Amino acid sequence: MEKVLDIQNLSKNYGGITAVKNLSLEVGPGHVFGILGPNGSGKTTTLAVITGVIAPDAGSFRWFGREHYAGMRKTIGSLIEVPNFYHYLDLVRNLSIVARIKNKPLNDIERVLRLMNLWDRRKSRFDTLSLGMKQRLAFSAVLLGDPSVLVLDEPANGLDPEGIAEMRDIILQEKKKQKTIILASHILDEVEKVCTHVTILKNGQSIAQGRVHELLAADDPVIVSCGESGRLQEEIVRAGLSESIEKNGKELIIILKKGMEAKDINEFAFSKGIVLDHLETRKKSLESQFLELVK
Ligand code: ATP
């Protein structure tokens, strides 16, 4: 699989402050990659480095296997800071200016405004828009030229619940088009609802990384290991003890039916003449660690 973005051991300091430390991550095509962390954890700094706004102190990053971001500008749409729109100009005029500056096609303005449900407001002055509309206009500017990669910093920031839901739908709509999206957020729920992969940042360092559905499983999985894992799997399924069960060599990863506990699996295995080498309950690492962090 070709990597869209490959970050290796990235570090960035501001004077004595370490903003990002030794960060590595890989983003594949079509992934929606969440960078999740509380305020000041280094999300914006990371995005600013990978979009060429600031230079890292150490480490490297590659887009599509190439070292320089400059050549990638057409492929990557980034929303890191809300662009400085002109308050007294209408939406079409504002987007025309962005398109000229960023060298994006002017004839794409209608498409992006329609996509963002702003076409009816195209003649309105920017300063007459609601905050949600302004954010959608910023998104329209990012989508000009239909880039295959989107880099978004806290896209739901400052929006009301309706605006947040709208923003989520827009991101999901782009996800459906197989775009690769890198999204920084301090809201666990936002990441859980749209991302396929996630890294959690704490003081500029990644403390957990992986697929969202693995890190955020609704229930804590029970992991058992034994010599007869195949037979135990069949017995557990036959007895209807699990919601789901996955075999990985000697190991079984089990989400138990409600009311069941890890020790019940031990007793059940014993009753079938199977001796477990190992039994543990693995905590939902993302959620528990994140809640721990933001407490
Ligand atoms: P937020 O969600 O609050 O924007 P963040 O996770 O995006 O936070 P960053 O903005 O990357 O975090 O900041 C990481 C650290 O670097 C913080 O301690 C911040 O104060 C510091 N920092 C960021 N930019 C600068 C700067 N230009 N000069 C000095 N320190 C900075």
Side-chain angles (χ1 to χ4, degrees):
M1 180 188 69
E2 189 198 10
K3 289 174 209 157
V4 173
L5 173 65
D6 184 8
I7 300 182
Q8 293 291 333
N9 307 108
L10 202 72
S11 295
K12 177 74 190 174
N13 306 305
Y14 296 105
I17 299 167
T18 304
V20 176
K21 191 172 176 190
N22 220 10
L23 179 69
S24 297
L25 58 88
E26 289 176 8
V27 181
H31 289 179
V32 181
F33 197 103
I35 299 179
L36 179 66
N39 289 337
S41 56
K43 305 180 296 294
T44 303
T45 302
T46 304
L47 298 189
V49 168
I50 63 172
T51 51
V53 176
I54 54 173
D57 292 321
S60 62
F61 65 94
R62 285 165 174 268
W63 286 103
F64 299 97
R66 288 198 260 156
E67 271 203 6
H68 294 289
Y69 172 74
M72 304 268 81
R73 276 183 209 282
K74 278 217 149 67
T75 321
I76 302 163
S78 72
L79 181 56
I80 296 190
E81 277 168 0
V82 176
N84 283 322
F85 291 115
Y86 291 94
H87 287 218
Y88 53 89
L89 295 181
D90 69 25
L91 308 197
V92 172
R93 298 286 301 278
N94 264 301
L95 285 186
S96 308
I97 293 169
V98 175
R100 285 207 186 87
I101 294 171
K102 293 191 172 174
N103 204 13
K104 306 276 184 164
L106 284 166
N107 60 10
D108 204 26
I109 290 175
E110 179 172 346
R111 182 189 70 89
V112 296
L113 283 178
R114 285 192 187 279
L115 207 58
M116 291 300 120
N117 259 332
L118 286 172
W119 183 242
D120 291 347
R121 296 295 300 263
R122 66 188 177 282
K123 299 252 172 68
S124 302
R125 280 168 56 127
F126 174 78
D127 57 10
T128 65
L129 299 183
S130 70
L131 189 64
M133 288 174 185
K134 286 177 178 162
Q135 190 75 341
R136 268 160 36 212
L137 182 66
F139 219 107
S140 312
V142 173
L143 293 179
L144 279 172
D146 209 14
S148 67
V149 180
L150 303 176
V151 177
L152 311 171
D153 192 8
E154 304 269 5
N157 231 10
L159 299 180
D160 60 13
E162 197 187 344
I164 292 173
E166 260 173 25
M167 196 45 68
R168 188 190 313 133
D169 288 345
I170 292 166
I171 295 169
L172 290 173
Q173 191 176 305
E174 292 302 307
K175 175 182 182 179
K176 266 202 201 130
K177 296 181 196 158
Q178 307 297 317
K179 301 214 170 174
T180 304
I181 303 171
I182 298 160
L183 170 125
S185 174
H186 66 283
I187 305 165
L188 179 66
D189 185 58
E190 186 179 11
V191 167
E192 194 177 1
K193 286 195 168 117
V194 303
C195 295
T196 57
H197 295 72
V198 66
T199 188
I200 301 187
L201 289 190
K202 179 186 183 181
N203 300 331
Q205 295 191 69
S206 171
I207 55 165
Q209 208 172 116
R211 287 175 185 276
V212 168
H213 75 261
E214 282 167 14
L215 290 172
L216 276 174
D219 296 291
D220 298 335
V222 172
I223 318 289
V224 302
S225 135
C226 63
E228 291 183 89
S229 58
R231 183 160 80 83
L232 181 59
Q233 181 179 17
E234 282 168 23
E235 296 283 6
I236 289 173
V237 170
R238 192 171 308 138
L241 305 182
S242 62
E243 287 293 343
S244 75
I245 185 162
E246 220 177 278
K247 186 169 171 308
N248 185 8
K250 277 182 71 181
E251 220 176 56
L252 296 179
I253 302 151
I254 311 162
I255 303 291
L256 294 175
K257 278 261 161 72
K258 285 234 164 348
M260 298 279 305
E261 291 175 43
K263 72 174 180 30
D264 299 328
I265 289 292
N266 196 12
E267 281 167 16
F268 177 77
F270 188 74
S271 75
K272 299 290 172 191
I274 299 170
V275 179
L276 304 182
D277 312 331
H278 184 75
L279 171 78
E280 72 170 280
T281 303
R282 212 165 272 173
K283 278 278 153 212
K284 293 168 272 182
S285 55
L286 180 58
E287 191 174 9
S288 48
Q289 292 194 60
F290 188 67
L291 293 179
E292 198 57 28
L293 252 181
V294 294
K295 229 179 1 199

